[in-house]
Amino acid sequence: MERKVNQKIVFVAGLHGNETMPVKALTDSGVDFVLGSPKAYEQNLRYAEKDLNASFGVDDDSYESHRAKEVLKEISEDALVVDFHTTEKEAEPFAIVVDEKMISLAEKTGVGKVVIMKHNIKKGHALINYRNGISVEAGMHNSQESYEATLNIVKNIQANRKHPVVLYEVYDVISEPG
């Protein structure tokens, strides 16, 4: 899907409360964004009761299920989402799409790799299953690199130019070693 001239991009960070560097980078740079889980972020925990990024479309009494509904209300259905995350292990930034039409948005991030997850490991309950957009793994938790990657990704998206990417597709969860 090509970005419409006036199509709004909404940045999201902190769906997992221990993924702090994108939150800090967006806050420090004055970029408007939706803070996914204020409760988990304040406590520096991945989640309060369960994974918020597996709680969209789930109807239970958990904090995350209620928060997922609130996040969706904050993001217009015709907006594009860029959802920032970080990793436990050192890794270069990459984008994740669940719909191939979002590859064009991923190409604007400046990251070199895009993972297509048609067979979603979040069982279809991630934010990007409910709003058009991408998730970006910006680098390792608490690293200066993930802070800087977040700022570079925002800058690249605002410049609205495509960058070459290598596509990878996840077909299934690997359950056996080797």
Side-chain angles (χ1 to χ4, degrees):
M1 167 184 243
E2 283 300 312
R3 182 176 160 211
K4 298 174 188 172
V5 173
N6 294 324
Q7 192 166 16
K8 182 176 181 170
I9 294 181
V10 176
F11 296 104
V12 177
L15 283 183
H16 299 124
N18 65 330
E19 298 178 351
T20 59
M21 295 312 267
V23 173
K24 290 176 182 176
L26 296 171
T27 300
D28 290 350
S29 64
V31 173
D32 288 334
F33 71 100
V34 175
L35 177 58
S37 182
K39 185 175 182 179
Y41 181 76
E42 287 172 14
Q43 298 174 11
N44 195 31
L45 298 172
R46 185 164 176 81
Y47 51 81
E49 296 174 38
K50 63 184 206 171
D51 186 352
L52 175 55
N53 205 31
S55 297
F56 291 87
V58 174
D59 193 20
D60 62 29
D61 287 330
S62 70
Y63 166 78
E64 282 79 8
S65 180
H66 292 289
R67 183 63 188 145
K69 291 173 188 154
E70 292 172 7
V71 168
L72 290 177
K73 287 179 186 174
E74 291 183 51
I75 302 169
S76 168
E77 288 187 27
D78 59 351
L80 293 175
V81 170
V82 177
D83 173 27
F84 287 99
H85 293 269
T86 57
T87 60
E88 291 181 13
K89 304 281 185 194
E90 193 170 317
E92 64 184 85
F94 62 94
I96 300 168
V97 301
V98 295
D99 186 334
E100 288 184 25
K101 69 183 179 185
M102 291 295 108
I103 292 171
S104 63
L105 176 58
E107 290 172 326
K108 294 176 183 176
T109 64
V111 302
K113 297 178 181 171
V114 176
V115 177
I116 304 167
M117 296 183 76
K118 290 180 189 174
H119 308 284
N120 197 306
I121 61 172
K122 297 288 185 180
K123 301 184 183 346
H125 294 289
L127 172 58
I128 60 174
N129 294 114
Y130 285 81
R131 293 293 183 267
N132 284 323
I134 62 175
S135 287
V136 177
E137 295 287 350
M140 196 166 134
H141 298 326
N142 302 318
S143 71
Q144 185 63 30
E145 290 80 12
S146 62
Y147 181 98
E148 291 170 9
T150 300
L151 296 177
N152 287 333
I153 290 163
V154 170
K155 182 180 77 174
N156 289 335
I157 288 170
Q158 291 171 338
N160 201 28
R161 286 188 294 274
K162 289 189 177 184
H163 302 265
V165 297
V166 177
L167 299 175
Y168 299 88
E169 187 166 355
V170 173
Y171 292 98
D172 201 354
V173 174
I174 299 170
S175 57
E176 294 181 28

